[in-house]
């Protein structure tokens, strides 16, 4: 009987200790970054703890071209219409909806108790696309786009005020991003050939390259 009582007490103490340790764990966080609106992104993210020091964050959401001020959502409508440009570029390329998605493992070196807080380091792999609708009175609508592949290394600080369910995530990062532009501009051709009757048509042009990609911002969220 005494042995059984001792086993019960020891089990209760062990369970209590385990429960106290587990209560400090953070398993997930759902966040929104208002600062990414400056890049034309509605940025929602989900962070899931996968180990004591490691989590995995997925970001996704729509992009709105001509919204914000970065290269990706401004490049096309500041271009040219070609031979039919009557100083009206903004009347040719209209904002449309695209998307972005990224995946980023996070490493929290400051804490070893699975709390997903404190300083973190995070390589980020991201794809982003901005879409445009091209309009011209004499033609059917066409579509242009800018797509980007981004690799960036982020450093940030995440904390949970009062150890509650509300989270604040402040971050900055630096890396490289490719861009691939598929644009439409108005050219002209003779119809029929040799008739001298010139009519407009859409002509596709492309441009691509690599640019430095930098970011800073804040995310607000909740989790448990």
């Amino acid at each position: 009987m005494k042995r059984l009582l001792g086993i019960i007490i020891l089990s209760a103490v062990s369970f209590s200790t385990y429960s106290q340790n587990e209560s400090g764990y953070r398993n997930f966080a759902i966040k929104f970054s208002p600062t990414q609106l400056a890049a034309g992104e509605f940025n929602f993210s989900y962070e899931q703890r996968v180990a004591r020091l490691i989590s995995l964050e997925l970001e996704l959401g729509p992009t709105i071209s001509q919204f914000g001020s970065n290269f990706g959502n401004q490049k096309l409508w500041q271009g040219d219409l070609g031979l039919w440009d009557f100083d009206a570029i903004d009347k040719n390329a209209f904002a449309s909806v695209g998307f972005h998605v990224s995946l980023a493992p996070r490493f929290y070196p400051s804490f070893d108790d699975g709390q997903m807080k404190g300083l973190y380091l995070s390589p980020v792999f991201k794809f982003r696309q901005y879409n445009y609708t091209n309009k011209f009175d004499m033609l059917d609508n066409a579509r242009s786009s800018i797509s980007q592949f981004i690799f960036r290394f982020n450093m940030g600080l995440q904390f949970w005020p009062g150890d509650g369910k509300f989270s604040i995530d402040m971050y900055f990062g630096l890396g490289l991003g490719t861009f691939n532009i598929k644009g439409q501009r108005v050219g002209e051709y003779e119809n029929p050939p040799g008739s001298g009757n010139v009519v407009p048509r859409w002509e596709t042009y492309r441009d691509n390259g690599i640019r430095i990609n930098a970011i800073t911002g804040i995310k607000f969220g909740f989790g448990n």
Side-chain angles (χ1 to χ4, degrees), residues 43-184:
N43 188 295
F44 302 92
S45 62
Y46 176 81
E47 182 182 1
Q48 174 68 51
R49 182 172 64 86
V50 295
R52 294 181 69 89
L53 295 175
I54 303 172
S55 68
L56 193 63
E57 184 174 60
L58 172 69
E59 287 185 357
L60 51 82
T63 61
I64 307 295
S65 52
Q66 300 186 20
F67 189 92
S69 58
N70 73 329
F71 167 84
N73 58 6
Q74 297 294 323
K75 177 67 174 177
L76 276 179
W77 70 273
Q78 292 181 355
D80 64 81
L81 274 173
L83 298 175
W84 292 77
D85 187 356
F86 304 113
D87 63 41
I89 182 58
D90 58 335
K91 297 179 181 179
N92 171 254
F94 291 80
S96 189
V97 177
F99 72 98
H100 71 92
V101 61
S102 73
L103 192 63
R106 286 189 173 194
F107 305 91
Y108 290 88
S110 301
F111 288 83
D112 63 356
D113 52 4
Q115 293 188 15
M116 294 199 315
K117 72 177 183 179
L119 177 71
Y120 66 83
L121 307 174
S122 177
V124 179
F125 304 89
K126 182 169 186 171
F127 177 80
R128 178 169 62 191
Q129 180 166 310
Y130 298 96
N131 293 325
Y132 295 79
T133 299
N134 300 96
K135 297 182 180 181
F136 191 72
D137 288 343
M138 302 172 67
L139 297 171
D140 293 334
N141 293 347
R143 197 182 86 160
S144 298
S145 65
I146 298 178
S147 58
Q148 298 174 293
F149 288 98
I150 298 169
F151 173 74
R152 189 174 58 240
F153 195 81
N154 284 5
M155 178 180 292
L157 182 67
Q158 180 163 267
F159 57 97
W160 304 75
D163 287 329
K165 295 186 177 182
F166 177 70
S167 70
I168 300 176
D169 181 356
M170 300 180 294
Y171 59 92
F172 68 91
L174 186 66
L176 294 174
T178 66
F179 66 88
N180 183 28
I181 297 174
K182 180 182 177 182
Q184 303 290 338

